[in-house]
Amino acid sequence: MPRSQPAPLADPASAPGARRARRKEARPGELIDAALALFVEKGFAATRVEEVAARAGVSKGTLFLYFPSKEDLFKAVVRETLAGRFTEWNAEFDVFEGDSVALVQYAMRSWWERIGMTPASGITKLVMSEAGTFPEIASFYQQEVINPGLDLVRRILQRGVDRGEFRPLDLDHAVYSLIAPMIFLLMWKHSMAPCCPSSQQLDPVTFIDTQVDLILHGMLKPSTPRR
Amino acid sequence: MPRSQPAPLADPASAPGARRARRKEARPGELIDAALALFVEKGFAATRVEEVAARAGVSKGTLFLYFPSKEDLFKAVVRETLAGRFTEWNAEFDVFEGDSVALVQYAMRSWWERIGMTPASGITKLVMSEAGTFPEIASFYQQEVINPGLDLVRRILQRGVDRGEFRPLDLDHAVYSLIAPMIFLLMWKHSMAPCCPSSQQLDPVTFIDTQVDLILHGMLKPSTPRR
Amino acid sequence: MPRSQPAPLADPASAPGARRARRKEARPGELIDAALALFVEKGFAATRVEEVAARAGVSKGTLFLYFPSKEDLFKAVVRETLAGRFTEWNAEFDVFEGDSVALVQYAMRSWWERIGMTPASGITKLVMSEAGTFPEIASFYQQEVINPGLDLVRRILQRGVDRGEFRPLDLDHAVYSLIAPMIFLLMWKHSMAPCCPSSQQLDPVTFIDTQVDLILHGMLKPSTPRR
Amino acid sequence: MPRSQPAPLADPASAPGARRARRKEARPGELIDAALALFVEKGFAATRVEEVAARAGVSKGTLFLYFPSKEDLFKAVVRETLAGRFTEWNAEFDVFEGDSVALVQYAMRSWWERIGMTPASGITKLVMSEAGTFPEIASFYQQEVINPGLDLVRRILQRGVDRGEFRPLDLDHAVYSLIAPMIFLLMWKHSMAPCCPSSQQLDPVTFIDTQVDLILHGMLKPSTPRR
DNA sequence: TATGAATGAGCCTTCATTCAT
DNA sequence: CATGAATGAAGGCTCATTCAT
C-alpha cells in the first residue's frame, strides 16, 4: 500500500534532528512506493533500479541495503501492496443490511475507491504482465489476492441466492462476471488509457455502474419487477 | 496469424530445387511465429533475439535480414497477427439471420475459436503488458484492433436494440460488457493459468457461455419470456 | 587508375550478345573504381563491401569471386591506381628544354592535372589514413610511389643546380618543399574541403602556382633577376 | 593535451584516503590520453573501447560513465587536445621583438615543440583521416584549429609585410606555405614513418628549418640582402 | 548507514565471408 | 560464373550489483 506522502525526489538536509532516524525506518516503504509506480508505468525489465532509488530520494547503493536484488524488490512490492485487506472486507460485508443488489453495487464501488483508483491497482497489472517471468509471484498473488477475492464475491452472490433475490447461479462461473470487469478496468487504465487518447473516454465509475447494472438484472429472478 | 507448420529446427537439404526461394518467403512468417510464442511467454525484454532465431531455425544474423530491429520484429508480430480480420467479420455478421441472442453467442464463440484459443490471443496480453514501454504499439493496437472491435460489438448490440430484442442501451458503455470478458479471459489464460493450478479450473468455453448468458438476459426486454 | 566510364549502378540485360564476356573482363576494374571512390570518401573500415559491389553493379558474392577479401580489394586498389607512371614522367622530363623554373612549374601542373585532380589522388589520402592499419600497404606505397616521386623531384632540382639556375641545395631536404604542398593539397581536398565550406576557398591551381612561385624564388640564386 | 603521467594499468590500493575522489577527477583525462594514443595508432574504427578502457586502467563500463559513446569520446579527445592554445600564442607573438624572419623561425619551432612532437600531433592526422566518417568533427576542427592557425600565420606574415621585411604577398594563399609543411610533417610522421624505414630519414627539425629557410627567402624583398 | 564509482556479464546489431542454387 | 540468403564472430552499450570510502 502506498505511503501517504510521495517521496521527495531530493531532500538535501532539510529537517533538523531526529530526521535521519525517521527516514531510515521509512526507507523500505519509500522505495516500494517508488518501485510500484515505476514498475507499473514501465514494466519490470524496463525500470532501472537507479530510477527507483532516485525517485525514493536515495542512492542506488542504498536500495541494495534494503533489498538484496531487483527481483526481491519486486516481490516486496507485491507483498506489501496487498497486505490482508480481505479480512476487513469480509467482516464489513457480513453485517451489510441492504438487499443484495445494493450490496453488489456497494462492493464494486468500494473496490474502486479503495483499490481501483489508487496506485495499488497497478500491481495487478504488474503481476499479470510479469507472470511469465515470475511464476512464483503470480502463484503467490493467486493465493493471496485472487482466491480470497473470488471467495468474497462468491459469498456475496450466495447471499443473494439464499435470500431469493438472485436466480440460482453456477457460482463457480458467475463470480467471474464481477471479477472480469475489475481486471479489465485495471488493465485498461494502466495500459491503453495512458497512451491512447480515445481510450480515455471510458469513465471508470460509469463503467462500473453500467456493468453492475447489466449483470445484476441478468441475475435477478425473472419475477423480480424492474425498477 | 501463426503458420500452419512450425519451422523445423534444422532441415538439411531435403527438397530438391528452388528450395532457397521457398525458404525466403517463409522466413518472416516463421520468425514472427517464433517471436509471438516467445514474447508471449517471456515478455518483450526478456526474450533474446537469438532465442527467436533459434526457434525459427535460423541464425541470429538472419533475423536482422528480415527485421531491422527487435522492436520492428515486435511491431511486425502485432501487425501480422491481427491483419484485417474485422472486415471479414463485419461482413459475416451483416448477413446473420438469427435473432440477436444467437448473434451475440455466435460472435463470442467465433472470437474464442479464431482468436482466443489461438496463439494470436497472446498478443493482446503482450500489447497490454508492454504498453508502457511501447506507447506507439499500444496506440496502434487501439486503432487497429480495439476500436474496430468495439465498433463491431456496437453494431451487434445496435441490431438487437433496433429489432426490439434488447432494451434501450447506453451503447458507449454497454459494449464493454462483451469486451471485458474477452480481455479478462486473455489475461487470465496467459498470466495466471500457466503457473497457478487453481486457475486452470476456469474453462474458457463455459466461461464465455456463462458470461454471455448473464449479460444477455440483462439486456433483454423485461417482457421477453425466460427460457 | 579509374576506368573511363563509371560503372552503371544497375544494368539489367540491356546489350545483346557478347556483352557478358566484355563485362566479365571489366569486372575487376569496375570493382576497383567503385572501391576507390568509396574508400576515399568513407575510409576503409566504414565502407561496406556490399556498397562497393552495388556501385559496381554486381552482387556481393561476385566481389569475392575476384578478390579473396576486403583487405585484398584494398591492396588491389592501391596497386592498380598507381601502376608505373614514373617511367613515363622521367622520360618526359629528361627531354624538357626550358629553364628549370619552367620545368618545376610544368611538373607541378602536370601532377595536378594527371593525379591531383583525378580520383587517383584519393589513394594517397587513403594510404596515409589507413597506414596504421595496413603497414604493408604503406610500405608498398612508399617504395612504389613516394620514393620514385622523390627521385623525380630530386632530378629536377639537381638539373636546376647543375645548370646554375638554383643555388646549391641540400637536396635530401629540399625535395620535400615540392612534395609537401602536394600531400597537403590532397589531404585538404579529400578531408577538410568536402565538409567545411570555408575550406573550399582554396583553389588548387592558384595554390600550386603560389607555392611554386614562393619556393622557386627562394631557391634561385640571389643574383637571378626577378621577373 | 596529454596528461603528464600515463595511467598505471592497475593500481590496487596504494594511496590512503580520499582516493576515489582523486581518481574520479583524473579519469576523463586518463581515458582521453589512452584514446588519443590508440586512435592515432589504429584509427577510430579499429580501436575498441575496451582497449581504451584497459589502457586507462579501468573497465569498459567505466568509460561509458564519463563518455556517453565512442564518438563522444573521440570528440572529447579532439576538444581537449586543442583547447584554446591560440589565444596564448597570439599574445606571445604580439610582443615578439625580433625581425620577422626570426619570428617565423620561432613560430615554426614552437609549433614543433608544443604540438608537432607531442602526441597531440596525432589528432590532426586522426581528424583528416576520419573526416569522411565524421564531417561534424572535421568542421569543428576547421573552426577551432585550422582557422585560428591560419589567422595566426596571417598576422605573422602581415607583420613582415608591414615592416617592409617581406615583399607584398597574397596572404590568402601565402599562409598555406607555412601550414602545408606542418600538415605534411604530421601526416608523414604518423603514417609513413612508423612503417617505412626509408621514411625515417626525414628529421623533423631539419625539415622545418629547411622549409622555413626556403620559403622565407622567397618571401623577402629582392632587395633584402641575403645573409 | 549511505554513497556512487566501478565492474563485467549480457544483449542487440553489424558486416565480412561462405556456399547452395 | 553470378547470386544473395545465411552465417557468426565481433563490438558498442546497458545496467544490476559490489564495495571502498
Side-chain angles (χ1 to χ4, degrees), chain D:
Chain D
M1 199 175 344
R3 246 50 53 213
S4 51
Q5 53 179 4
L9 286 189
D11 192 356
S14 59
R19 187 70 193 295
R20 285 291 268 286
R22 189 139 37 86
R23 292 307 296 268
K24 188 195 170 182
E25 285 176 17
R27 281 283 139 73
E30 293 167 1
L31 285 164
I32 283 175
D33 286 349
L36 171 58
L38 287 167
F39 283 158
V40 169
E41 182 188 335
K42 319 171 64 164
F44 176 82
T47 299
R48 276 168 297 168
V49 294
E50 196 162 16
E51 282 180 281
V52 175
R55 185 184 254 251
V58 299
S59 73
K60 193 170 30 168
T62 301
L63 187 151
F64 287 95
L65 233 45
Y66 295 96
F67 304 96
S69 75
K70 188 185 180 186
E71 192 166 336
D72 282 291
L73 172 63
F74 181 53
K75 291 179 184 175
V77 168
V78 176
R79 266 190 220 96
E80 174 75 8
T81 311
L82 57 84
R85 218 174 310 235
F86 288 101
T87 54
E88 172 197 359
W89 260 344
N90 269 312
E92 193 175 333
F93 295 157
D94 278 344
V95 300
F96 190 85
E97 296 200 339
D99 63 29
S100 294
V101 168
L103 178 52
V104 168
Q105 285 172 333
Y106 173 71
M108 291 292 275
R109 286 177 182 168
S110 290
W111 171 83
W112 173 250
E113 283 162 16
R114 302 187 202 177
I115 302 286
M117 68 183 292
T118 74
S121 67
I123 70 136
T124 297
K125 190 264 178 183
L126 193 50
V127 169
M128 299 197 103
S129 295
E130 307 287 350
T133 317
F134 300 103
E136 187 193 346
I137 292 282
S139 187
F140 172 77
Y141 192 78
Q142 167 84 15
Q143 291 168 35
E144 298 294 320
V145 182
I146 300 286
N147 286 341
L150 289 172
D151 285 345
L152 193 55
V153 170
R154 174 189 293 269
R155 292 179 62 242
I156 291 174
L157 296 185
Q158 186 67 57
R159 177 185 188 270
V161 172
D162 291 345
R163 290 169 55 131
E165 295 166 308
F166 297 158
R167 61 177 164 110
L169 295 168
D170 172 4
L171 291 185
D172 285 340
H173 289 90
V175 288
Y176 290 105
S177 291
L178 292 178
I179 296 295
M182 297 194 295
I183 300 290
F184 167 80
L185 190 52
L186 291 188
M187 295 305 300
W188 194 261
K189 176 185 165 195
H190 288 287
S191 295
M192 307 310 292
C195 56
C196 305
S198 68
S199 300
Q200 293 167 3
Q201 299 167 355
L202 184 67
D203 174 62
V205 174
T206 309
F207 168 81
I208 288 177
D209 287 347
T210 304
Q211 300 311 312
V212 168
D213 180 65
L214 286 173
I215 289 164
L216 277 182
H217 290 100
M219 292 177 183
L220 293 176
K221 276 185 178 176
S223 57
T224 302
R226 297 239 162 178
R227 276 179 284 181

Side-chain angles (χ1 to χ4, degrees), chain A:
Chain A
M1 194 175 347
R3 249 43 58 208
S4 52
Q5 52 178 3
L9 287 188
D11 194 357
S14 57
R19 186 66 190 292
R20 188 74 168 250
R22 186 145 37 87
R23 290 301 301 268
K24 185 180 140 188
E25 286 176 17
R27 282 283 146 74
E30 291 168 355
L31 284 164
I32 284 175
D33 287 348
L36 170 59
L38 287 167
F39 283 157
V40 168
E41 182 188 336
K42 318 170 66 164
F44 176 80
T47 298
R48 276 169 302 167
V49 293
E50 192 161 21
E51 280 181 281
V52 175
R55 187 185 254 250
V58 300
S59 73
K60 199 172 17 168
T62 302
L63 187 151
F64 284 92
L65 235 44
Y66 293 98
F67 304 95
S69 75
K70 188 186 181 185
E71 198 165 330
D72 285 293
L73 172 62
F74 180 62
K75 292 177 182 174
V77 167
V78 177
R79 271 192 215 94
E80 173 76 8
T81 311
L82 55 80
R85 218 179 306 243
F86 289 100
T87 53
E88 171 196 1
W89 258 342
N90 269 312
E92 193 175 334
F93 295 157
D94 277 346
V95 299
F96 189 85
E97 298 199 340
D99 64 28
S100 294
V101 168
L103 178 53
V104 168
Q105 284 173 332
Y106 174 71
M108 291 291 276
R109 286 176 183 169
S110 291
W111 171 83
W112 173 249
E113 282 162 17
R114 302 186 203 179
I115 302 287
M117 67 182 295
T118 74
S121 67
I123 72 135
T124 298
K125 190 262 180 185
L126 194 50
V127 169
M128 300 198 102
S129 295
E130 307 290 346
T133 318
F134 300 102
E136 184 193 348
I137 290 283
S139 187
F140 173 77
Y141 191 79
Q142 169 85 16
Q143 291 166 36
E144 298 295 320
V145 182
I146 301 285
N147 286 342
L150 288 172
D151 285 346
L152 193 54
V153 170
R154 174 189 294 269
R155 292 179 60 242
I156 291 173
L157 296 186
Q158 185 69 55
R159 177 185 188 268
V161 173
D162 291 346
R163 290 167 58 131
E165 295 165 309
F166 297 158
R167 60 175 165 115
L169 295 169
D170 172 4
L171 289 187
D172 286 340
H173 290 92
V175 288
Y176 291 105
S177 291
L178 292 179
I179 296 295
M182 296 194 293
I183 300 291
F184 167 80
L185 190 53
L186 291 189
M187 294 306 298
W188 194 261
K189 175 184 165 194
H190 288 288
S191 295
M192 306 312 290
C195 56
C196 305
S198 67
S199 299
Q200 294 166 2
Q201 299 167 357
L202 184 66
D203 175 64
V205 174
T206 308
F207 168 80
I208 288 177
D209 285 347
T210 303
Q211 300 312 312
V212 168
D213 179 67
L214 286 172
I215 289 164
L216 278 182
H217 289 99
M219 293 177 183
L220 291 177
K221 278 185 179 175
S223 58
T224 303
R226 296 239 165 182
R227 278 179 281 180

Side-chain angles (χ1 to χ4, degrees), chain C residues 1-153:
Chain C
M1 195 176 345
R3 247 45 56 211
S4 52
Q5 51 177 5
L9 287 188
D11 193 356
S14 57
R19 186 67 192 291
R20 190 74 169 250
R22 187 145 36 87
R23 290 301 300 269
K24 184 180 143 188
E25 285 176 18
R27 282 284 147 72
E30 290 168 355
L31 284 163
I32 284 176
D33 287 348
L36 170 58
L38 288 167
F39 283 157
V40 168
E41 182 188 335
K42 320 170 66 165
F44 176 79
T47 298
R48 278 169 300 166
V49 294
E50 193 161 19
E51 280 180 281
V52 175
R55 187 186 254 249
V58 300
S59 74
K60 201 172 15 170
T62 301
L63 187 151
F64 285 92
L65 234 44
Y66 293 98
F67 305 95
S69 75
K70 188 187 182 186
E71 199 165 330
D72 285 293
L73 172 62
F74 180 62
K75 292 177 183 174
V77 167
V78 177
R79 270 191 217 94
E80 173 76 8
T81 311
L82 55 81
R85 219 179 306 242
F86 290 99
T87 53
E88 173 196 359
W89 258 343
N90 270 311
E92 194 174 333
F93 296 157
D94 278 345
V95 299
F96 190 85
E97 297 199 339
D99 63 27
S100 294
V101 168
L103 177 53
V104 168
Q105 285 172 333
Y106 174 71
M108 292 292 275
R109 284 177 183 169
S110 290
W111 171 83
W112 172 249
E113 282 162 15
R114 301 187 204 177
I115 302 287
M117 68 183 293
T118 75
S121 67
I123 72 135
T124 298
K125 191 265 180 183
L126 193 51
V127 170
M128 301 198 102
S129 295
E130 306 290 346
T133 316
F134 301 101
E136 184 193 347
I137 290 284
S139 188
F140 173 77
Y141 191 78
Q142 169 84 15
Q143 292 166 37
E144 299 296 319
V145 182
I146 300 285
N147 286 342
L150 288 171
D151 285 345
L152 193 55
V153 170

